[in-house]
Amino acid sequence: MRTLDQILAESAKRHKHLCPRQVLGARMGLFAAELLGLELPRGDKRLLVISETDGCAVDGLIAATGCRVGSRTLRILDFGKVAATFTDTYTEESIRIVPRLQARFTSAEHALGARSNWEAMLLGYQVMPVSELFITQRVKLDAPLSEIVNRPGNKAICTICGEEVMNGREVLNNGIVLCRACAGEGYYHSFAESMTAEIVERIKGN
Ligand SMILES: [Zn+2]
Ligand SMILES: [Zn+2]
């Protein structure tokens, strides 16, 4: 088993330096695996991590768990919280972990000699007992795992935009197959077709 130091070194390499939230992410991952009885890091798809923020904490989560977006074992649901839910996809047991609000202050008691609040958090988070650091809840995911995880190999074509939708992410609207964007869940509006043509021309011109 790797030590916290080794995990943090790996996280810091990815992050260019070490910061307190990476420590939180790493310790959340380690603690969740301990509670679920899973060995880390994982090279399979057994552990699913749903992180409620992007950014620093995620690098700690990745370093500790081995779960990655590219292997479809890490999801970001951006609620702007340093919090994550860890699901054992075999047993469907889920644990959500969120750092205690007070931890940023109590960390100083575990980092005597720290020269700043930031350093107190960085050092304190590494040694604080999990009971002081985290709030831990057993939770149940709202959507069935089969919906969250994947239906690899599934492919559909959206009736409106004609784009391919993988992994069962299409939606049915009155029996019509749509992508989520065309079903009204989009995150962008496209310019008119002529604008797109104009951009193509400009790129060609360069
Ligand atoms: Zn950072
Ligand atoms: Zn579409």
Side-chain angles (χ1 to χ4, degrees), residues 158 161 179 182:
C158 173
C161 68
C179 71
C182 291

Side-chain angles (χ1 to χ4, degrees), residues 158-163 165 178-183:
C158 173
T159 310
I160 294 181
C161 68
E163 291 179 358
V165 182
L178 297 177
C179 71
R180 287 175 63 178
C182 291

Side-chain angles (χ1 to χ4, degrees), residues 50-55 58 75-83:
I50 300 175
S51 172
E52 297 180 22
T53 182
D54 54 9
V58 177
R75 297 293 160 86
I76 309 289
L77 284 185
D78 196 358
F79 290 3
K81 294 183 183 181
V82 174

